[in-house]
Every structure is written in structure tokens, then in C-alpha cells.
Amino acid sequence: MEKERFLAFTDAIIAIIATIMVLEFKTPDKSGWPALAELTIPLLAYALSFFMIMTVWYNHHQLYRDIKNITPRIFLLNTLWLFIMSFSPSPRVGSENMQVSFSLNFSI
């Protein structure tokens, strides 16, 4: 497999993961500052998740910088990594999804 195609596919999956996290936000019932105040914790959770994903993505590119060929083993490990990243925390703070994903992402 070509390295460029492999990295482009990985980049696309990471972009989809980051996009789906934004879609989790619910439209507030109110308007103005009180509605924004209700979104403070979900926005902070989103920011933490987003920067965690981007940091891991950057490190992923640094890791693959010196790799010449994508072997089946590298492909399998990258696929497992993408699978775990797809459980990234969403802005639903305190949800079971967030607790499981933090455990998975930080245990690697």
C-alpha cells in the first residue's frame, strides 16, 4: 500500500471524528448569555477532546515520517488505533461514552 494513500485515509477518518463531535451539540432552548453559560462545560469538553485528537494526529504523522512501506502489521495497528480514536469523548460530559473513551484513549 502506498504511504500517501494510507496517511490520506487516516487523515480523513480523523477529520470525520472531529466533525462528528461538533454535531453532538444541542441547540439551546433559550437565547443570550444564559444559554451560552449552559454550554460552558460541553464546550470545554469539546475543546479538550479536539486538542487531544489533534495532538495524537500530529504525533501519528511524526511517527510515520520515517516509515517507507506500509506493511500489513502497520495497517492493522493503524486500523485498531483509528477504531479506538472513534470512541473519542463527545461534548456529553459525564456520559458513559465519555468515561469509556477516556479510558481507551489514555490507556494506549
Side-chain angles (χ1 to χ4, degrees):
M1 173 179 281
E2 296 176 23
K3 180 179 170 181
E4 291 78 23
R5 182 177 169 121
F6 170 79
L7 290 176
F9 177 75
T10 301
D11 291 348
I13 298 296
I14 296 299
I16 290 168
I17 290 170
T19 302
I20 288 174
M21 287 188 337
V22 164
L23 297 176
E24 291 286 329
F25 281 104
K26 305 292 182 221
T27 305
D29 296 330
K30 306 176 216 171
S31 63
W33 291 108
L36 188 60
E38 290 178 11
L39 291 176
T40 302
I41 293 180
L43 283 171
L44 290 174
Y46 169 74
L48 176 67
S49 300
F50 182 83
F51 286 111
M52 180 193 73
I53 287 173
M54 291 302 117
T55 301
V56 172
W57 172 78
Y58 177 80
N59 290 332
H60 179 269
H61 274 277
Q62 294 302 313
L63 177 70
Y64 284 88
R65 180 182 52 202
D66 298 328
I67 293 177
K68 303 288 185 235
N69 299 319
I70 304 302
T71 64
R73 182 171 186 232
I74 291 172
F75 180 79
L76 175 65
L77 291 172
N78 192 72
T79 301
L80 290 172
W81 175 73
L82 287 171
F83 177 73
I84 291 169
M85 288 300 291
S86 70
F87 286 102
S88 292
S90 68
R92 294 176 294 175
V93 176
S95 70
E96 185 176 318
N97 176 34
M98 187 172 199
Q99 294 166 1
V100 169
S101 61
F102 269 130
S103 299
L104 284 173
N105 285 327
F106 289 118
S107 66
I108 295 180

